[in-house]
Amino acid sequence: MFELKDYQNKYIKRLKEAIKDSLKSPEEEICVFQSPTGSGKTLMVAECLKDLVNECEENNLSFVWVSVRKLHDQSKEKLEKYYETSRKLKCSHFNDLIEKRINRNEILFINWESINKINKNTIIKENEKDFYLEKVIENTKEKGNEIILIIDESHHTASSDKSKELINLISPKVTVEVSATPHLKENISS
C-alpha cells in the first residue's frame, strides 16, 4: 500500500478539482500539473484518476496516457501496482484494447515518439482491420465516453506541431500536462 504525504494529498485535490471543473466546460480544457522531480507526480496523478472515477460516476471516463521514451511502460507498471487492490482502473497497451475502444475507467498507455511518426506507425496508420488510434478514439466516443489525455513530461513534446495534430486527433475533453517544468501555463495545479 502506498502512503501519500500531506503535500501530495493537497495537490491531488487541486488537480482533481481542476479536472472536474474542466469536465463541466463546453470547451476542451487544459490542466497543467507542475511538481518537482522526485515529488511523486505519477502516483499523484494515479490517485487523482482513481478519485475522479469514484466521484464522477455519472461521467464515462476513458484515459490516454502518453509519455516519452520508455516512461509509458514504467508508468503503466507503476499504476497497475498502485491499482492492484482497488481495481478501479484498468491499464492497457494498444494491443490490449477490447472491442477496438478505450473502455470506461481504462487507461491506454502510449509511447509519444512512436505515435508522433504519423505516416509510419501502425497505431496511427489507417488499416483494413479498423484498429488504429483514430478509429479507437471514434469508437470510444461513440460509446459515450469522455477522454482525458495525460501528457507525461509534457515539456518535451506537447508544443510541437505534430504533437498538436495528434492532440487534435484525440480531441480530449481534458488534457492534463504533467511536468516539473511546463511550457504552458493555463489551468495550473501545483
Side-chain angles (χ1 to χ4, degrees):
M1 182 67 187
F2 296 91
E3 184 90 20
L4 294 166
K5 296 176 174 47
D6 289 340
Y7 78 88
Q8 290 173 318
N9 283 316
K10 176 177 143 186
Y11 294 125
I12 290 164
K13 183 178 178 181
R14 280 190 193 173
L15 178 60
K16 179 182 62 177
E17 293 307 317
I19 293 171
K20 285 169 75 173
D21 288 345
S22 295
L23 285 169
K24 294 174 191 170
S25 171
E27 304 294 320
E28 293 177 0
E29 298 284 332
I30 296 172
C31 296
V32 177
F33 184 63
Q34 179 181 6
S35 190
T37 302
S39 62
K41 287 184 293 293
T42 302
L43 291 180
M44 285 189 275
V45 173
E47 182 67 16
C48 176
L49 299 183
K50 186 176 85 174
D51 288 353
L52 275 173
V53 299
N54 282 335
E55 294 176 23
C56 299
E57 290 185 4
E58 71 281 358
N59 297 75
N60 290 327
L61 299 176
S62 296
F63 305 89
V64 177
W65 184 300
V66 291
S67 296
V68 294
R69 298 176 293 282
K70 293 286 184 187
L71 286 178
H72 71 293
D73 287 330
Q74 291 173 13
S75 296
K76 181 181 180 287
E77 288 173 20
K78 194 178 281 188
L79 269 67
E80 281 176 327
K81 191 171 185 176
Y82 192 75
Y83 298 135
E84 196 169 51
T85 325
S86 73
R87 300 277 183 219
K88 284 290 181 181
L89 287 116
K90 179 181 178 186
C91 300
S92 302
H93 283 121
F94 193 78
N95 289 328
D96 300 331
L97 297 176
I98 298 171
E99 298 179 9
K100 300 177 186 173
R101 69 172 178 254
I102 310 162
N103 287 304
R104 183 176 195 250
N105 301 343
E106 183 172 19
I107 307 169
L108 171 61
F109 289 85
I110 302 177
N111 172 275
W112 193 251
E113 290 88 353
S114 70
I115 59 173
N116 247 330
K117 299 173 185 169
I118 296 221
N119 294 320
K120 297 179 183 176
N121 188 281
T122 56
I123 293 174
I124 297 297
K125 195 172 182 182
E126 193 171 331
N127 59 55
E128 66 278 353
K129 294 179 183 177
D130 275 345
F131 192 46
Y132 55 98
L133 187 60
E134 187 172 7
K135 189 65 172 175
V136 164
I137 296 299
E138 181 183 314
N139 293 342
T140 301
K141 290 180 178 183
E142 281 179 3
K143 191 69 178 170
N145 295 7
E146 293 181 298
I147 296 175
I148 295 178
L149 172 64
I150 298 100
I151 304 175
D152 195 7
E153 300 295 338
S154 63
H155 60 280
H156 286 292
T157 56
S159 61
S160 76
D161 288 339
K162 282 190 178 183
S163 297
K164 288 177 184 174
E165 286 176 35
L166 213 46
I167 292 167
N168 286 336
L169 180 143
I170 296 170
S171 188
K173 178 67 178 156
V174 180
T175 299
V176 179
E177 294 191 11
V178 181
S179 177
T181 56
H183 292 289
L184 191 58
K185 302 228 183 248
E186 287 217 12
N187 183 358
I188 299 183
S189 296
S190 58

